[in-house]
Amino acid sequence: ELKVEQNPLFLSMQEGKNYTIYCNYSTTSDRLYWYRQDPGKSLESLFVLLSNGAVKQEGRLMASLDTKARLSTLHITAAVHDLSATYFCAGTFRGSEKLVFGKGMKLTVNP
Amino acid sequence: NAGVMQNPRHLVRRRGQEARLRCSPMKGHSHVYWYRQLPEEGLKFMVYLQKENIIDESGMPKERFSAEFPKEGPSILRIQQVVRGDSAAYFCASSSRGGAAGSYEQYFGPGTRLTVT
């Protein structure tokens, strides 16, 4: 069974701090995605990672992919309150188009 | 360019009734995906459709659930004889394969929140 596991599932941090969240998956991925979801809202695409060693940055968020370790990370730099949301990683595997999601990490950034 | 549209946004049904959820993909997209999100959970894949074809329905419950994407009009997810366990948020996504950088990115709609009483 394909599995995408995120940790931690809950994170409370202070503004200005840095943190890395992790996404492990159980088999070779085709593509790895990061999404953000605000309460009661839809999913906003943050990053799509296609190949080993891919690194993408947008503002205070940076995502990377290590296909050999089957690991993606989302690094938060100098967190601000507006980053408070739930962050999902998801992957596509074995030529399938369906996204397999992790359970999500609920981030709270305290002023 | 309008994004993915879903309606209704909120739907309340009594047990045993039918629920119909609609999804209009982004302009130019011919691939539609349905996902279900239970409270405090991640999204679970249900079905992947192209116009007039079901490509992958491996996530669909065997009974009561069906989906279609006709040549004209929106994609429909239909749930017959709803039960309380069907209460969830149902998200539709669309994509255009071979899109920008070949990323096959899926764009999500706002979701339909189904409540079964």
Side-chain angles (χ1 to χ4, degrees):
Chain A
E1 181 186 349
L2 299 173
K3 289 185 179 179
V4 176
E5 295 185 344
Q6 294 184 237
N7 72 84
L9 297 182
F10 297 92
L11 176 62
S12 180
M13 58 189 299
Q14 296 295 317
E15 279 192 329
K17 297 295 186 182
N18 304 331
Y19 203 84
T20 299
I21 58 179
Y22 299 89
C23 174
N24 294 89
Y25 49 95
S26 60
T27 190
T28 303
S29 70
D30 297 330
R31 299 182 292 278
L32 201 292
Y33 300 77
W34 284 94
Y35 289 92
R36 168 182 171 145
Q37 186 180 38
D38 292 293
K41 304 294 185 181
S42 187
L43 277 75
E44 174 191 354
S45 177
L46 296 175
F47 302 106
V48 181
L49 303 168
L50 302 177
S51 59
N52 187 43
V55 177
K56 291 192 175 181
Q57 183 164 5
E58 182 72 33
R60 301 174 187 275
L61 301 177
M62 183 174 70
S64 66
L65 180 63
D66 181 344
T67 58
K68 294 179 181 177
R70 298 179 183 168
L71 171 69
S72 180
T73 62
L74 182 66
H75 185 73
I76 303 163
T77 302
V80 293
H81 180 66
D82 286 350
L83 288 180
S84 297
T86 298
Y87 293 84
F88 291 98
C89 71
T92 56
F93 305 92
R94 300 177 185 165
S96 171
E97 292 300 315
K98 67 182 183 185
L99 287 169
V100 179
F101 280 83
K103 290 188 175 182
M105 187 211 71
K106 186 172 183 179
L107 173 66
T108 302
V109 181
N110 301 305
Chain B
N1 186 12
V4 179
M5 300 178 70
Q6 291 186 248
N7 69 82
R9 297 288 302 276
H10 299 274
L11 182 61
V12 179
R13 285 286 178 267
R14 292 196 183 95
R15 280 180 298 171
Q17 291 185 319
E18 178 179 287
R20 284 191 177 225
L21 288 62
R22 296 174 186 78
C23 169
S24 296
M26 287 179 69
K27 186 177 181 180
H29 286 188
S30 59
H31 300 251
V32 166
Y33 313 79
W34 286 93
Y35 295 86
R36 176 165 64 176
Q37 184 178 33
L38 296 171
E40 307 299 324
E41 293 282 331
L43 279 72
K44 302 288 187 188
F45 169 80
M46 299 181 75
V47 62
Y48 163 35
L49 310 102
Q50 295 178 29
K51 289 279 188 182
E52 301 184 283
N53 283 305
I54 296 175
I55 307 302
D56 181 351
E57 57 181 347
S58 58
M60 286 282 269
K62 296 285 184 254
E63 298 177 348
R64 303 187 297 109
F65 285 73
S66 62
E68 63 176 4
F69 189 16
K71 186 176 180 181
E72 301 291 337
S75 176
I76 307 284
L77 179 68
R78 182 183 179 203
I79 311 172
Q80 295 178 290
Q81 299 177 320
V82 296
V83 300
R84 286 210 173 117
D86 296 333
S87 295
Y90 292 83
F91 289 96
C92 166
S94 73
S95 75
S96 172
R97 286 191 68 176
S103 66
Y104 304 107
E105 188 159 357
Q106 295 181 23
Y107 296 86
F108 282 80
T112 294
R113 281 150 183 85
L114 172 66
T115 302
V116 179
T117 62

